[in-house]
Each structure stands twice: as C-alpha cells, then as structure tokens.
Amino acid sequence: MNYRIETKDAFRIVGVSVPLEKEIEKNFAVIPSKWQEVSADGTLEKLIKMMDQEPMGVLGVSRCNGEEPWRYYIAVSTAKQAEGMEEYVVPAATWAVFPGTGTNQSIQELEQRIVTEWLPASGYEYADAPDLEVYLNPDPQNAKYEVWIPVTKKRGK
C-alpha cells in the first residue's frame, strides 16, 4: 500500500458534526446522509471558502476516544471565525497518510484495508487522535482523497 508518514502540530477545524455510534455499522448510514445535507444546504460551499490552512481539503474527522462522546465532523482547517459552526482542535500527532481515488465507497474500502492489512504488519499501532479523511477534490464519483490514521511506533516486546 502506498503511504507516507507525516508529523503535524495541532490544528483547528471548523464545521458541523454528528454523534457517532459505538456500533460502527450504524455510522455507515448517518455519515453519508450528513454529507448530503451539508452539500444541499450550502454549508459545504461556506466551509470551502473558509479553508486557509493545512491540511487543504474538506475534512471528515472521526473523534473516537474513551472520554468524550464520539463525533464525526465535516469541516475545514481554518483560522477564520465561523458563526454557528462547531470548532475542534485536532491534536498534534504522527499520521500514516494513504492516498486514494474513486467513489465514497472506495474510501471505506481503503480504510478497511489499512486497519486489516497494513496496520498489523506496519510496526505501528493506533495513537490517541482522530482519523481523518481529506477530500482533495469533492467529486463523489471520482474523488481524490487521503486517509490519515494516527500512529505511534510499536514498542518492542
């Protein structure tokens, strides 16, 4: 699998979010309908105009940790203030970044392959930070995207 390792400082995102279920399958319905909603109501267009910091692209951010309720953000990285939008600071982390192209279905397949094929053999393990989907071009039928998985080197046994 093609990937690169990137270390980034914390960055602020602004956007909208939905709660995530611990039962992952339920999220496969909630998340696509939220994307449709923000596309139809003009929110996505507003977000794209606010984007002014790396990573450049529309972000899908899955915050799934032990302490806070799980949330999925549709957002952009920006220094601008946004009326009526939510804010979240993505913590500094090291990321394994996987490029991809295709449909929204293909990003889910890539995420599955990363977790089941790449991660177990990589010498890395999940770090405590959100997963990111970075949509570099928003065409739902021929999207260009990156999947960012937070990682830390596995400790020797």
Side-chain angles (χ1 to χ4, degrees):
M1 290 180 86
N2 187 15
Y3 72 96
R4 69 183 187 276
I5 300 294
E6 208 172 288
T7 301
K8 287 193 73 55
D9 290 334
F11 59 94
R12 176 179 166 268
I13 63 169
V14 168
V16 296
S17 76
V18 291
L20 287 177
E21 298 287 333
K22 302 251 192 273
E23 204 177 303
I24 302 303
E25 291 299 315
K26 289 183 179 176
N27 298 321
F28 291 135
V30 172
I31 293 171
S33 68
K34 189 63 176 178
W35 277 98
Q36 288 174 335
E37 179 188 316
V38 300
S39 294
D41 72 8
T43 301
L44 191 57
E45 205 173 298
K46 215 183 295 180
L47 288 171
I48 290 169
K49 288 178 182 161
M50 292 176 61
M51 188 182 349
D52 64 1
Q53 296 183 332
E54 292 290 329
M56 293 299 280
V58 177
L59 309 175
V61 178
S62 299
R63 187 188 76 198
C64 306
N65 59 20
E67 297 134 40
E68 305 167 87
W70 290 9
R71 300 213 59 89
Y72 180 85
Y73 294 86
I74 297 172
V76 294
S77 181
T78 184
K80 297 176 181 166
Q81 294 304 315
E83 220 31 57
M85 301 254 181
E86 297 173 62
E87 250 184 67
Y88 174 66
V89 175
V90 175
T94 298
W95 311 88
V97 179
F98 299 82
T101 57
T103 64
N104 293 343
Q105 186 64 40
S106 67
I107 198 165
Q108 292 175 352
E109 290 164 8
L110 177 58
E111 289 167 342
Q112 191 75 34
R113 287 187 55 217
I114 292 166
V115 173
T116 61
E117 296 172 26
W118 180 81
L119 197 59
S122 68
Y124 289 94
E125 57 192 5
Y126 253 104
D128 187 18
D131 289 0
L132 305 179
E133 299 160 355
V134 180
Y135 294 93
L136 305 170
N137 106 354
D139 177 350
Q141 293 314 307
N142 188 22
K144 194 170 172 209
Y145 54 81
E146 294 176 337
V147 174
W148 293 32
I149 303 293
V151 293
T152 185
K153 281 268 192 208
K154 278 186 187 166
R155 297 192 183 148
K157 293 182 176 150

